[in-house]
Amino acid sequence: MNSEQIDNPSSGFDHELNEALVSANIADGYEEFLAVFDRFYAEQVEVASEDNAAGLVGKSRVLPILFNFLMPLYVMAEIGGLSVTLRYSTIHSDKRGEQHAEWSLDLLGILGRRVTLHWSSARKWRGSHVVYERHYDHRQIGGTLTIIDLDFSTPSPRVEITARPS
């Protein structure tokens, strides 16, 4: 444990959460991300952003938003060949008990076209659970990816139906 973690025990949990997020592979499925959310976030977590300062309160309200983000990403990665890389770096904060990080999500299409989404997050912890998370400073580098950037040409498995004699 480093000196920052001794002074602020939530930084250890924050590091563990961030590492779980960047280690999960969306091409293998979205379930691991949902398990991370379930493990680290309090039942009455409050999540806010620049677009929604009022935020959402409760896992049951945040989960559909998370699912609507993860499901298309999973399909594009697993079936369409999109390469997805999530990275973060810790940002020093003077606010005790608040953990900040800068995030980048790289999406690389099959023809090499890339879009990178950047944002920052601030989290407050109670024990081992996030009770508040805010996303801010959203920006995008690169244009929107299109169907050309994906490969859905792999044929579906062929299913043969054979009649059984009665």
Side-chain angles (χ1 to χ4, degrees):
M1 204 174 250
N2 65 36
S3 63
E4 181 185 336
Q5 290 173 326
I6 292 169
D7 292 340
N8 187 358
S10 65
S11 66
F13 292 118
D14 204 64
H15 176 77
E16 188 179 342
L17 168 55
N18 292 345
E19 287 297 313
L21 289 170
V22 298
S23 297
N25 182 357
I26 192 67
D28 293 337
Y30 55 85
E31 295 85 0
E32 189 173 356
F33 289 94
L34 297 180
V36 168
F37 177 70
D38 190 52
R39 156 69 180 90
F40 285 96
Y41 288 77
E43 203 56 48
Q44 288 302 308
V45 64
E46 180 181 345
V47 177
S49 70
E50 293 169 329
D51 299 335
N52 185 2
L56 299 171
V57 177
K59 280 184 176 179
S60 63
R61 300 227 19 234
V62 175
L63 193 58
I65 306 300
L66 182 59
F67 185 78
N68 285 340
F69 175 76
L70 291 172
M71 179 52 85
L73 199 55
Y74 161 67
V75 170
M76 290 184 291
E78 201 272 332
I79 298 172
L82 184 70
S83 173
V84 179
T85 305
L86 180 64
R87 293 185 312 272
Y88 79 97
S89 59
T90 303
I91 302 171
H92 176 72
S93 172
D94 292 335
K95 294 182 179 179
R96 183 157 173 77
E98 194 168 280
Q99 306 300 316
H100 289 255
E102 183 172 84
W103 295 88
S104 64
L105 178 65
D106 288 320
L107 307 174
L108 179 63
I110 60 166
L111 299 176
R113 201 160 83 172
R114 173 186 314 266
V115 63
T116 303
L117 307 172
H118 293 279
W119 71 95
S120 296
S121 66
R123 291 189 192 116
K124 292 181 183 176
W125 292 78
R126 183 169 300 126
S128 60
H129 291 99
V130 176
V131 293
Y132 175 80
E133 183 170 290
R134 178 175 50 90
H135 298 224
Y136 60 96
D137 195 22
H138 295 91
R139 49 203 191 286
Q140 178 177 322
I141 299 171
T144 305
L145 298 177
T146 66
I147 195 73
I148 282 177
D149 298 302
L150 303 172
D151 179 11
F152 290 114
S153 65
T154 307
S156 303
R158 188 171 165 193
V159 177
E160 293 184 25
I161 300 174
T162 359
R164 290 187 183 168
S166 33

